[in-house]
Amino acid sequence: MTGLFPRPRAVVAPGAVHVPEWLSAEQQRELVAACRTWARGPVPLRHTALPGGGVMSVRTVCLGWHWQPYRYTRTADDVNGAPVAPFPQWLAELGRSAVAEAYGAESAAARAYAPDAALINFYDDDARMGMHQDKEERSGAPVVSLSIGDTCVFRFGNTENRGRPYTDVELASGDLFVFGGPSRHAFHGVPRVRPGTAGPETGMRGGRLNLTLRETGLGAPGQRRPRESPNSSR
């Protein structure tokens, strides 16, 4: 428990579930250590360049598939051309446990969940994420979001546009957020991070890590070509 009173789990929208303090302190430290290894390469943590010439303020490293606006590839063609780091089985198992926690162990979504990609975003004090949809995946399986470090304001919106209605949720270190079903393509973003709100138990000196696990539906290399989604936005 991070404060005086426990924070209850909440269904923010149909298919969108917030579970506070789901990760233990030990799990958070293990994920932080793993993220530090992944950030060193073969494709290093980087600010993603956008097609319009802008650069994202968060820094990102990927596992399994490399995300760049607005497609997945097996090699980081926009960075150094190296093959992306593999997606580990233990992380897939953590993702299945997350979906089971959100929807129930016997739910079809939990039984079928097979994530094969992760986007790991690091937010410093000034980083933000604009309202966007996760639409590059062929699969309609839920997205699993794990937060470590400083608390952020997570804005979860509707499926039609970037504006209202939306709900602002505070995601603290250890929190789980899963969105699928009717909310799978909801717009969402991070308008602010609250510096200095994380305790020392994670081993981070500052900032926020966000691990998002996805099931791309793209299959093994050579089976399907990644699709481009020019109408998507981040």
Side-chain angles (χ1 to χ4, degrees):
M1 189 170 65
T2 57
L4 182 60
F5 300 105
R7 294 176 296 136
R9 66 183 285 151
V11 177
V12 177
V17 181
H18 175 212
V19 184
E21 302 172 30
W22 185 68
L23 293 170
S24 68
E26 181 180 4
Q27 287 175 307
Q28 293 176 61
R29 288 192 296 271
E30 290 172 350
L31 284 168
V32 168
C35 288
R36 285 182 174 137
T37 298
W38 295 324
R40 291 192 287 268
V43 182
L45 194 71
R46 94 289 187 194
H47 292 282
T48 301
L50 298 170
V55 177
M56 292 176 64
S57 59
V58 303
R59 286 181 284 168
T60 305
V61 66
C62 303
L63 307 176
W65 288 90
H66 181 77
W67 179 85
Q68 54 183 301
Y70 294 99
R71 62 194 177 104
Y72 284 108
T73 56
R74 287 290 188 182
T75 54
D77 303 328
D78 61 333
V79 183
N80 58 6
V84 68
F87 186 88
Q89 181 60 32
W90 63 264
L91 194 56
E93 292 170 359
L94 184 64
R96 279 190 288 274
S97 295
V99 175
E101 176 67 36
Y103 296 155
E106 298 305 315
S107 66
R111 293 197 306 270
Y113 196 54
D116 60 342
L119 272 66
I120 300 162
N121 294 318
F122 176 74
Y123 293 74
D124 62 22
D125 294 355
D126 299 318
R128 306 287 184 267
M129 181 76 74
M131 295 292 279
H132 66 280
Q133 295 171 296
D134 294 340
K135 294 186 68 174
E136 290 75 50
E137 299 80 23
R138 294 181 184 269
S139 170
V143 174
V144 169
S145 173
L146 303 170
S147 296
I148 305 174
D150 285 338
T151 297
C152 81
V153 175
F154 180 63
R155 182 161 291 171
F156 196 77
N158 63 84
T159 59
E160 301 299 324
N161 58 66
R162 294 178 176 82
R164 297 180 183 276
Y166 55 71
T167 301
D168 283 349
V169 181
E170 286 207 340
L171 297 183
S173 195
D175 284 8
L176 164 68
F177 197 98
V178 177
F179 58 98
S183 293
R184 175 57 179 81
H185 292 139
F187 284 89
H188 56 282
V190 176
R192 70 181 66 86
V193 174
R194 303 196 189 283
T197 49
E201 63 274 4
T202 64
M204 292 178 62
R205 292 185 294 272
R208 172 183 183 253
L209 277 172
N210 176 227
L211 292 82
T212 64
L213 313 185
R214 294 109 180 274
E215 185 178 305
T216 66
L218 297 174
Q223 287 184 331
R224 295 182 185 177
R225 295 178 58 190
R227 70 174 183 179
E228 296 193 16
S229 300
N231 294 325
S232 303
S233 178
R234 273 182 197 266

